[in-house]
Amino acid sequence: MADEIKYDEWGPEIVLDLYDSKTKMRGFVVIDNTALGPGKGGIRMTPTVTLEEDFRLARTMTWKCALAELPFGGAKGAIVFPQDMQKDKEQLMRAYARMAKVVAPKVWVAAPDINTGEEEMRWFAEENGSLQSCTGKPVDMGGIPHELGSTGFGVYHAALVALEHAGTDVKGATVAVEGFGNVGSFAAKFLAESGAKLVAVSDSKGVIYNKDGLDFDRLSKAKAETGAVIKYNPGQVLPNEKIFELDVDVLIPAALADVIHENNWQNVKAKMIVEGANIPIRPHIENKLSDRGILLVPDFVANAGGVISSYVEYISGTPAQMLKEVEKRVRKNTKLVLEKAKKEKLYPRDAALEIAKERVRSAMNK
Ligand code: NAD
């Protein structure tokens, strides 16, 4: 199995391939690098998750935590979760948590990821016996509510810094947001409150567009009442992919992976792209967009609000502290990345990776 992993100067340090014969739980833990602190990373429960996917996600966490200047390394957990085992979810998670005690909380601090949330973290922490074994716990266990929108709040600050960098006033800047979930809706809300003009928003059912602006509160209401942003009035309904072609100041992909790709990057007219989603654009396509003069804030820079919030939960901080830390860290590092990219003529992702690698390297050399 370990063949699926490329070992290099950074790690991974620990790879666990777990199987519990009683529950038939099959899972992995990859602790990539702990030079900066215990590995941080969520637990993904999907039918298709592999050790290689787990490793790639763990490596991404190494860079994300380093860039956010958190005392965490990178890690990721995974449980193979076939459709026919849905009813066994709690048992699987508890079996996984028991086996993962060899690493958590000492060198791994877990969190939710796809298909895991507060309840799963409750089971994990209960079984582990330490509240420090994971973040994303329910409020009664010291968790910071997801509903505060930490990631979207960070994406909003990344967008503000990108606007400042480009010399564009946020007041009146036009914004399009793909996805109206936890990340997209909060990014849209804070930008609208700062005077930006939200001209398009999408969800799985389509895009709602109005060049004169969408009213955020009425948009939220339409989504809450009908389940679809396209029910908002007045506005023009467009197919999903059209949101990436709108002529706006700021485009925020905040839903799916690989949404700007080989066949549509040439149609992008946005002046800047702030990546709320994970991997919405492959790096070589990002570079083509940068070559066209589009300012890019890469995912692990812009969407670090979630892991910063986890850190505040880990140190038993408050929601107010969380907002302060997200703002401070996302602002500082977005600025650093954009300025380095400009000064050294680097692509933003390369600039961000250089900064993250330098921080990990210097911790490894201590
Ligand atoms: P979510 O499930 O809350 O929201 C996803 C949204 O995307 C929903 O509104 C859904 O309708 C919409 N959507 C689905 N298909 C779509 C389509 N074809 N076109 C447009 N919209 C579509 O998810 P989330 O937590 O907001 O996460 C969104 C992205 O941000 C993911 O890539 C996730 O990995 C990333 N992310 C999330 C967090 C976090 O804290 N939630 C942190 C970092 C990164």
Side-chain angles (χ1 to χ4, degrees), residues 112-135:
D113 190 68
I114 297 176
N115 235 326
T116 55
E118 290 183 358
E119 268 319 291
E120 287 74 18
M121 292 307 106
R122 181 192 298 285
W123 303 330
F124 188 90
E126 277 177 5
E127 216 56 46
N128 179 280
S130 167
L131 288 174
Q132 291 228 307
S133 61
C134 64
T135 59

PDB file of all heavy atoms in Angstrom, residues 112-135:
ATOM      1  N   PRO A 112     -13.374  17.407  11.224  1.00  0.00           N
ATOM      2  CA  PRO A 112     -14.307  16.896  10.220  1.00  0.00           C
ATOM      3  C   PRO A 112     -13.781  17.123   8.795  1.00  0.00           C
ATOM      4  O   PRO A 112     -12.966  18.004   8.569  1.00  0.00           O
ATOM      5  CB  PRO A 112     -15.575  17.742  10.435  1.00  0.00           C
ATOM      6  CG  PRO A 112     -15.373  18.480  11.709  1.00  0.00           C
ATOM      7  CD  PRO A 112     -13.903  18.588  11.920  1.00  0.00           C
ATOM      8  N   ASP A 113     -14.238  16.324   7.888  1.00  0.00           N
ATOM      9  CA  ASP A 113     -13.994  16.528   6.451  1.00  0.00           C
ATOM     10  C   ASP A 113     -15.239  15.974   5.763  1.00  0.00           C
ATOM     11  O   ASP A 113     -16.306  15.916   6.394  1.00  0.00           O
ATOM     12  CB  ASP A 113     -12.700  15.811   6.027  1.00  0.00           C
ATOM     13  CG  ASP A 113     -12.256  16.181   4.615  1.00  0.00           C
ATOM     14  OD1 ASP A 113     -11.867  17.337   4.404  1.00  0.00           O
ATOM     15  OD2 ASP A 113     -12.328  15.326   3.706  1.00  0.00           O
ATOM     16  N   ILE A 114     -15.119  15.559   4.522  1.00  0.00           N
ATOM     17  CA  ILE A 114     -16.304  15.099   3.798  1.00  0.00           C
ATOM     18  C   ILE A 114     -17.006  13.978   4.586  1.00  0.00           C
ATOM     19  O   ILE A 114     -16.358  13.008   4.997  1.00  0.00           O
ATOM     20  CB  ILE A 114     -15.932  14.594   2.381  1.00  0.00           C
ATOM     21  CG1 ILE A 114     -15.364  15.762   1.573  1.00  0.00           C
ATOM     22  CG2 ILE A 114     -17.142  13.973   1.671  1.00  0.00           C
ATOM     23  CD1 ILE A 114     -14.865  15.386   0.209  1.00  0.00           C
ATOM     24  N   ASN A 115     -18.301  14.158   4.794  1.00  0.00           N
ATOM     25  CA  ASN A 115     -19.120  13.142   5.455  1.00  0.00           C
ATOM     26  C   ASN A 115     -18.885  12.971   6.954  1.00  0.00           C
ATOM     27  O   ASN A 115     -19.343  11.996   7.548  1.00  0.00           O
ATOM     28  CB  ASN A 115     -18.927  11.780   4.777  1.00  0.00           C
ATOM     29  CG  ASN A 115     -20.246  11.223   4.347  1.00  0.00           C
ATOM     30  OD1 ASN A 115     -21.264  11.438   5.017  1.00  0.00           O
ATOM     31  ND2 ASN A 115     -20.254  10.503   3.245  1.00  0.00           N
ATOM     32  N   THR A 116     -18.144  13.883   7.554  1.00  0.00           N
ATOM     33  CA  THR A 116     -18.019  13.858   9.015  1.00  0.00           C
ATOM     34  C   THR A 116     -18.298  15.260   9.544  1.00  0.00           C
ATOM     35  O   THR A 116     -17.981  16.243   8.883  1.00  0.00           O
ATOM     36  CB  THR A 116     -16.617  13.395   9.481  1.00  0.00           C
ATOM     37  OG1 THR A 116     -15.633  14.222   8.880  1.00  0.00           O
ATOM     38  CG2 THR A 116     -16.343  11.952   9.138  1.00  0.00           C
ATOM     39  N   GLY A 117     -18.908  15.339  10.705  1.00  0.00           N
ATOM     40  CA  GLY A 117     -19.270  16.637  11.291  1.00  0.00           C
ATOM     41  C   GLY A 117     -19.147  16.567  12.799  1.00  0.00           C
ATOM     42  O   GLY A 117     -18.380  15.749  13.341  1.00  0.00           O
ATOM     43  N   GLU A 118     -19.919  17.413  13.474  1.00  0.00           N
ATOM     44  CA  GLU A 118     -19.795  17.520  14.936  1.00  0.00           C
ATOM     45  C   GLU A 118     -20.049  16.196  15.660  1.00  0.00           C
ATOM     46  O   GLU A 118     -19.346  15.852  16.603  1.00  0.00           O
ATOM     47  CB  GLU A 118     -20.786  18.564  15.466  1.00  0.00           C
ATOM     48  CG  GLU A 118     -20.409  19.969  15.066  1.00  0.00           C
ATOM     49  CD  GLU A 118     -21.349  21.015  15.648  1.00  0.00           C
ATOM     50  OE1 GLU A 118     -22.327  20.646  16.338  1.00  0.00           O
ATOM     51  OE2 GLU A 118     -21.093  22.213  15.408  1.00  0.00           O
ATOM     52  N   GLU A 119     -21.077  15.465  15.231  1.00  0.00           N
ATOM     53  CA  GLU A 119     -21.407  14.213  15.935  1.00  0.00           C
ATOM     54  C   GLU A 119     -20.272  13.205  15.820  1.00  0.00           C
ATOM     55  O   GLU A 119     -19.922  12.517  16.783  1.00  0.00           O
ATOM     56  CB  GLU A 119     -22.702  13.600  15.386  1.00  0.00           C
ATOM     57  CG  GLU A 119     -23.951  14.037  16.126  1.00  0.00           C
ATOM     58  CD  GLU A 119     -23.802  14.118  17.649  1.00  0.00           C
ATOM     59  OE1 GLU A 119     -23.675  13.054  18.267  1.00  0.00           O
ATOM     60  OE2 GLU A 119     -23.794  15.224  18.214  1.00  0.00           O
ATOM     61  N   GLU A 120     -19.710  13.123  14.622  1.00  0.00           N
ATOM     62  CA  GLU A 120     -18.598  12.184  14.405  1.00  0.00           C
ATOM     63  C   GLU A 120     -17.408  12.573  15.284  1.00  0.00           C
ATOM     64  O   GLU A 120     -16.694  11.710  15.799  1.00  0.00           O
ATOM     65  CB  GLU A 120     -18.186  12.147  12.930  1.00  0.00           C
ATOM     66  CG  GLU A 120     -19.171  11.434  12.005  1.00  0.00           C
ATOM     67  CD  GLU A 120     -20.441  12.230  11.733  1.00  0.00           C
ATOM     68  OE1 GLU A 120     -20.436  13.457  11.957  1.00  0.00           O
ATOM     69  OE2 GLU A 120     -21.440  11.615  11.310  1.00  0.00           O
ATOM     70  N   MET A 121     -17.222  13.906  15.446  1.00  0.00           N
ATOM     71  CA  MET A 121     -16.106  14.348  16.297  1.00  0.00           C
ATOM     72  C   MET A 121     -16.391  14.043  17.763  1.00  0.00           C
ATOM     73  O   MET A 121     -15.498  13.763  18.538  1.00  0.00           O
ATOM     74  CB  MET A 121     -15.831  15.853  16.088  1.00  0.00           C
ATOM     75  CG  MET A 121     -15.285  16.188  14.722  1.00  0.00           C
ATOM     76  SD  MET A 121     -13.818  15.222  14.252  1.00  0.00           S
ATOM     77  CE  MET A 121     -14.501  14.081  13.056  1.00  0.00           C
ATOM     78  N   ARG A 122     -17.667  14.072  18.128  1.00  0.00           N
ATOM     79  CA  ARG A 122     -18.031  13.681  19.498  1.00  0.00           C
ATOM     80  C   ARG A 122     -17.608  12.214  19.737  1.00  0.00           C
ATOM     81  O   ARG A 122     -16.957  11.878  20.705  1.00  0.00           O
ATOM     82  CB  ARG A 122     -19.546  13.822  19.701  1.00  0.00           C
ATOM     83  CG  ARG A 122     -19.996  13.443  21.116  1.00  0.00           C
ATOM     84  CD  ARG A 122     -21.506  13.300  21.232  1.00  0.00           C
ATOM     85  NE  ARG A 122     -22.248  14.512  20.960  1.00  0.00           N
ATOM     86  CZ  ARG A 122     -22.353  15.556  21.786  1.00  0.00           C
ATOM     87  NH1 ARG A 122     -21.757  15.523  22.960  1.00  0.00           N
ATOM     88  NH2 ARG A 122     -23.053  16.617  21.454  1.00  0.00           N
ATOM     89  N   TRP A 123     -17.984  11.351  18.787  1.00  0.00           N
ATOM     90  CA  TRP A 123     -17.631   9.932  18.929  1.00  0.00           C
ATOM     91  C   TRP A 123     -16.114   9.759  18.991  1.00  0.00           C
ATOM     92  O   TRP A 123     -15.594   8.999  19.799  1.00  0.00           O
ATOM     93  CB  TRP A 123     -18.194   9.098  17.759  1.00  0.00           C
ATOM     94  CG  TRP A 123     -19.674   9.205  17.587  1.00  0.00           C
ATOM     95  CD1 TRP A 123     -20.601   9.431  18.569  1.00  0.00           C
ATOM     96  CD2 TRP A 123     -20.405   9.093  16.356  1.00  0.00           C
ATOM     97  NE1 TRP A 123     -21.861   9.469  18.020  1.00  0.00           N
ATOM     98  CE2 TRP A 123     -21.780   9.250  16.665  1.00  0.00           C
ATOM     99  CE3 TRP A 123     -20.062   8.855  15.024  1.00  0.00           C
ATOM    100  CZ2 TRP A 123     -22.780   9.207  15.698  1.00  0.00           C
ATOM    101  CZ3 TRP A 123     -21.045   8.798  14.046  1.00  0.00           C
ATOM    102  CH2 TRP A 123     -22.398   8.983  14.391  1.00  0.00           C
ATOM    103  N   PHE A 124     -15.429  10.492  18.131  1.00  0.00           N
ATOM    104  CA  PHE A 124     -13.968  10.366  18.061  1.00  0.00           C
ATOM    105  C   PHE A 124     -13.342  10.766  19.400  1.00  0.00           C
ATOM    106  O   PHE A 124     -12.514  10.046  19.953  1.00  0.00           O
ATOM    107  CB  PHE A 124     -13.417  11.241  16.919  1.00  0.00           C
ATOM    108  CG  PHE A 124     -11.954  11.032  16.639  1.00  0.00           C
ATOM    109  CD1 PHE A 124     -11.527  10.079  15.723  1.00  0.00           C
ATOM    110  CD2 PHE A 124     -10.988  11.780  17.309  1.00  0.00           C
ATOM    111  CE1 PHE A 124     -10.174   9.880  15.469  1.00  0.00           C
ATOM    112  CE2 PHE A 124      -9.631  11.589  17.067  1.00  0.00           C
ATOM    113  CZ  PHE A 124      -9.226  10.632  16.142  1.00  0.00           C
ATOM    114  N   ALA A 125     -13.763  11.933  19.916  1.00  0.00           N
ATOM    115  CA  ALA A 125     -13.166  12.443  21.157  1.00  0.00           C
ATOM    116  C   ALA A 125     -13.538  11.545  22.341  1.00  0.00           C
ATOM    117  O   ALA A 125     -12.703  11.249  23.202  1.00  0.00           O
ATOM    118  CB  ALA A 125     -13.618  13.872  21.409  1.00  0.00           C
ATOM    119  N   GLU A 126     -14.794  11.086  22.373  1.00  0.00           N
ATOM    120  CA  GLU A 126     -15.209  10.207  23.474  1.00  0.00           C
ATOM    121  C   GLU A 126     -14.370   8.932  23.498  1.00  0.00           C
ATOM    122  O   GLU A 126     -13.879   8.503  24.523  1.00  0.00           O
ATOM    123  CB  GLU A 126     -16.686   9.811  23.296  1.00  0.00           C
ATOM    124  CG  GLU A 126     -17.646  10.862  23.833  1.00  0.00           C
ATOM    125  CD  GLU A 126     -19.108  10.487  23.569  1.00  0.00           C
ATOM    126  OE1 GLU A 126     -19.372   9.367  23.049  1.00  0.00           O
ATOM    127  OE2 GLU A 126     -19.964  11.316  23.883  1.00  0.00           O
ATOM    128  N   GLU A 127     -14.221   8.360  22.343  1.00  0.00           N
ATOM    129  CA  GLU A 127     -13.501   7.092  22.246  1.00  0.00           C
ATOM    130  C   GLU A 127     -12.017   7.278  22.539  1.00  0.00           C
ATOM    131  O   GLU A 127     -11.377   6.421  23.121  1.00  0.00           O
ATOM    132  CB  GLU A 127     -13.706   6.546  20.825  1.00  0.00           C
ATOM    133  CG  GLU A 127     -13.820   5.072  20.710  1.00  0.00           C
ATOM    134  CD  GLU A 127     -14.922   4.444  21.562  1.00  0.00           C
ATOM    135  OE1 GLU A 127     -16.045   4.963  21.573  1.00  0.00           O
ATOM    136  OE2 GLU A 127     -14.631   3.431  22.199  1.00  0.00           O
ATOM    137  N   ASN A 128     -11.509   8.447  22.122  1.00  0.00           N
ATOM    138  CA  ASN A 128     -10.089   8.735  22.338  1.00  0.00           C
ATOM    139  C   ASN A 128      -9.795   9.057  23.798  1.00  0.00           C
ATOM    140  O   ASN A 128      -8.720   8.753  24.322  1.00  0.00           O
ATOM    141  CB  ASN A 128      -9.665   9.900  21.435  1.00  0.00           C
ATOM    142  CG  ASN A 128      -8.214  10.275  21.613  1.00  0.00           C
ATOM    143  OD1 ASN A 128      -7.863  10.968  22.561  1.00  0.00           O
ATOM    144  ND2 ASN A 128      -7.360   9.785  20.729  1.00  0.00           N
ATOM    145  N   GLY A 129     -10.771   9.723  24.436  1.00  0.00           N
ATOM    146  CA  GLY A 129     -10.573  10.071  25.841  1.00  0.00           C
ATOM    147  C   GLY A 129      -9.959  11.435  26.061  1.00  0.00           C
ATOM    148  O   GLY A 129      -9.793  11.865  27.195  1.00  0.00           O
ATOM    149  N   SER A 130      -9.604  12.146  24.962  1.00  0.00           N
ATOM    150  CA  SER A 130      -9.041  13.492  25.121  1.00  0.00           C
ATOM    151  C   SER A 130      -9.769  14.467  24.204  1.00  0.00           C
ATOM    152  O   SER A 130      -9.935  14.208  23.009  1.00  0.00           O
ATOM    153  CB  SER A 130      -7.557  13.492  24.759  1.00  0.00           C
ATOM    154  OG  SER A 130      -7.107  14.835  24.621  1.00  0.00           O
ATOM    155  N   LEU A 131     -10.145  15.618  24.783  1.00  0.00           N
ATOM    156  CA  LEU A 131     -10.819  16.640  23.975  1.00  0.00           C
ATOM    157  C   LEU A 131      -9.854  17.276  22.986  1.00  0.00           C
ATOM    158  O   LEU A 131     -10.263  17.933  22.028  1.00  0.00           O
ATOM    159  CB  LEU A 131     -11.422  17.727  24.878  1.00  0.00           C
ATOM    160  CG  LEU A 131     -12.653  17.324  25.681  1.00  0.00           C
ATOM    161  CD1 LEU A 131     -13.065  18.440  26.634  1.00  0.00           C
ATOM    162  CD2 LEU A 131     -13.821  16.971  24.759  1.00  0.00           C
ATOM    163  N   GLN A 132      -8.566  17.086  23.216  1.00  0.00           N
ATOM    164  CA  GLN A 132      -7.574  17.660  22.294  1.00  0.00           C
ATOM    165  C   GLN A 132      -7.301  16.755  21.096  1.00  0.00           C
ATOM    166  O   GLN A 132      -6.489  17.084  20.244  1.00  0.00           O
ATOM    167  CB  GLN A 132      -6.281  17.907  23.060  1.00  0.00           C
ATOM    168  CG  GLN A 132      -6.451  19.034  24.060  1.00  0.00           C
ATOM    169  CD  GLN A 132      -5.325  20.040  23.988  1.00  0.00           C
ATOM    170  OE1 GLN A 132      -4.177  19.658  24.061  1.00  0.00           O
ATOM    171  NE2 GLN A 132      -5.652  21.302  23.829  1.00  0.00           N
ATOM    172  N   SER A 133      -7.995  15.622  21.048  1.00  0.00           N
ATOM    173  CA  SER A 133      -7.733  14.699  19.938  1.00  0.00           C
ATOM    174  C   SER A 133      -8.336  15.181  18.634  1.00  0.00           C
ATOM    175  O   SER A 133      -7.948  14.721  17.568  1.00  0.00           O
ATOM    176  CB  SER A 133      -8.284  13.312  20.276  1.00  0.00           C
ATOM    177  OG  SER A 133      -9.694  13.398  20.468  1.00  0.00           O
ATOM    178  N   CYS A 134      -9.328  16.098  18.706  1.00  0.00           N
ATOM    179  CA  CYS A 134      -9.918  16.610  17.467  1.00  0.00           C
ATOM    180  C   CYS A 134     -10.552  17.973  17.705  1.00  0.00           C
ATOM    181  O   CYS A 134     -10.827  18.352  18.844  1.00  0.00           O
ATOM    182  CB  CYS A 134     -10.972  15.648  16.911  1.00  0.00           C
ATOM    183  SG  CYS A 134     -12.406  15.436  17.964  1.00  0.00           S
ATOM    184  N   THR A 135     -10.768  18.686  16.616  1.00  0.00           N
ATOM    185  CA  THR A 135     -11.520  19.940  16.654  1.00  0.00           C
ATOM    186  C   THR A 135     -12.794  19.736  15.829  1.00  0.00           C
ATOM    187  O   THR A 135     -12.996  18.662  15.263  1.00  0.00           O
ATOM    188  CB  THR A 135     -10.695  21.102  16.084  1.00  0.00           C
ATOM    189  OG1 THR A 135     -10.340  20.769  14.741  1.00  0.00           O
ATOM    190  CG2 THR A 135      -9.438  21.348  16.904  1.00  0.00           C
TER     191      THR A 135
END
